Coordinates of all heavy atoms in Angstrom, one line a residue:
Chain A
R67 N 105.0 100.9 95.2 CA 103.9 100.2 95.5 C 103.2 99.5 94.3 O 103.0 98.4 94.2 CB 103.0 101.0 96.4 CG 101.8 100.2 96.9 CD 101.0 101.1 97.9 NE 99.8 100.5 98.3 CZ 99.7 99.5 99.2 NH1 100.7 99.2 99.9 NH2 98.4 99.0 99.5
L71 N 103.2 95.6 93.4 CA 101.9 95.0 93.4 C 101.5 94.5 91.9 O 100.8 93.4 91.8 CB 100.8 95.9 94.0 CG 100.8 96.1 95.4 CD1 99.6 97.1 95.9 CD2 100.7 94.9 96.2
A76 N 97.7 87.5 94.2 CA 96.4 87.9 94.8 C 96.4 87.2 96.2 O 95.9 87.8 97.2 CB 95.2 87.4 94.2
N78 N 98.8 86.3 98.5 CA 99.8 86.5 99.4 C 99.5 87.7 100.3 O 98.5 88.4 100.1 CB 101.2 86.7 98.7 CG 101.3 88.0 97.9 OD1 100.5 88.8 98.1 ND2 102.2 87.9 97.0
D79 N 100.3 87.8 101.4 CA 99.9 88.8 102.4 C 100.8 90.1 102.2 O 100.9 90.8 103.1 CB 100.2 88.1 103.7 CG 99.4 87.0 103.9 OD1 98.4 86.8 103.4 OD2 99.9 86.1 104.6
L80 N 101.4 90.2 101.1 CA 102.4 91.2 100.9 C 101.7 92.6 101.0 O 102.4 93.5 101.6 CB 103.0 91.1 99.4 CG 104.0 92.2 98.9 CD1 105.3 92.0 99.9 CD2 104.3 91.9 97.5
E81 N 100.6 92.7 100.3 CA 100.1 94.0 100.2 C 99.9 94.9 101.5 O 100.4 96.0 101.5 CB 98.7 93.8 99.6 CG 98.0 95.0 98.8 CD 96.9 94.7 98.2 OE1 96.6 93.6 97.8 OE2 96.0 95.6 98.2
Q82 N 99.5 94.2 102.6 CA 99.3 95.0 103.8 C 100.5 95.5 104.5 O 100.6 96.3 105.1 CB 98.4 94.4 104.5 CG 98.9 93.1 105.1 CD 97.8 92.2 105.9 OE1 97.1 92.9 106.7 NE2 97.6 90.9 105.5
F83 N 101.7 94.7 104.1 CA 103.0 94.9 104.7 C 103.7 96.0 104.0 O 104.7 96.6 104.5 CB 103.8 93.8 104.9 CG 103.1 92.8 106.0 CD1 102.4 91.7 105.7 CD2 103.2 93.1 107.4 CE1 101.9 90.9 106.5 CE2 102.6 92.3 108.3 CZ 101.9 91.2 107.9
L84 N 103.4 96.1 102.7 CA 104.1 96.9 101.8 C 104.3 98.3 102.5 O 105.5 98.9 102.4 CB 103.5 97.0 100.5 CG 104.4 97.1 99.2 CD1 105.5 96.1 99.4 CD2 103.6 97.0 98.1
W85 N 103.2 99.0 102.9 CA 103.4 100.3 103.3 C 104.3 100.4 104.6 O 105.2 101.2 104.6 CB 102.1 100.8 103.9 CG 101.1 101.3 102.9 CD1 100.0 100.8 102.6 CD2 101.4 102.3 101.8 NE1 99.4 101.4 101.4 CE2 100.3 102.4 101.0 CE3 102.5 103.3 101.7 CZ2 100.2 103.4 100.0 CZ3 102.4 104.2 100.6 CH2 101.2 104.2 99.8
Chain B
A49 N 97.6 100.0 92.3 CA 97.9 99.4 93.7 C 96.6 98.9 94.2 O 96.7 98.0 95.2 CB 98.6 100.6 94.6
G50 N 95.5 99.3 93.8 CA 94.2 98.8 94.3 C 94.0 97.3 93.9 O 93.3 96.6 94.6
R51 N 94.7 96.9 92.9 CA 94.5 95.4 92.6 C 95.9 94.9 92.0 O 96.5 95.6 91.3 CB 93.4 95.3 91.5 CG 93.6 96.1 90.4 CD 92.5 95.9 89.3 NE 92.7 96.5 88.2 CZ 92.4 97.7 87.8 NH1 91.6 98.4 88.8 NH2 92.7 98.3 86.7
S52 N 96.2 93.7 92.2 CA 97.4 93.2 91.7 C 97.0 92.3 90.2 O 95.9 92.1 90.0 CB 98.1 92.1 92.7 OG 97.2 91.2 93.0
K296 N 91.9 88.4 104.7 CA 93.3 88.6 104.8 C 93.7 88.6 106.2 O 93.0 89.3 107.1 CB 93.7 89.8 104.1 CG 93.8 89.6 102.5 CD 94.2 90.9 101.9 CE 94.2 90.8 100.4 NZ 94.2 92.1 99.8

Side-chain angles (χ1 to χ4, degrees):
Chain A
R67 187 177 167 79
L71 290 180
N78 65 25
D79 306 327
L80 175 72
E81 206 174 320
Q82 60 187 315
F83 291 104
L84 212 50
W85 282 117
Chain B
R51 57 175 187 268
S52 57
K296 280 182 188 168

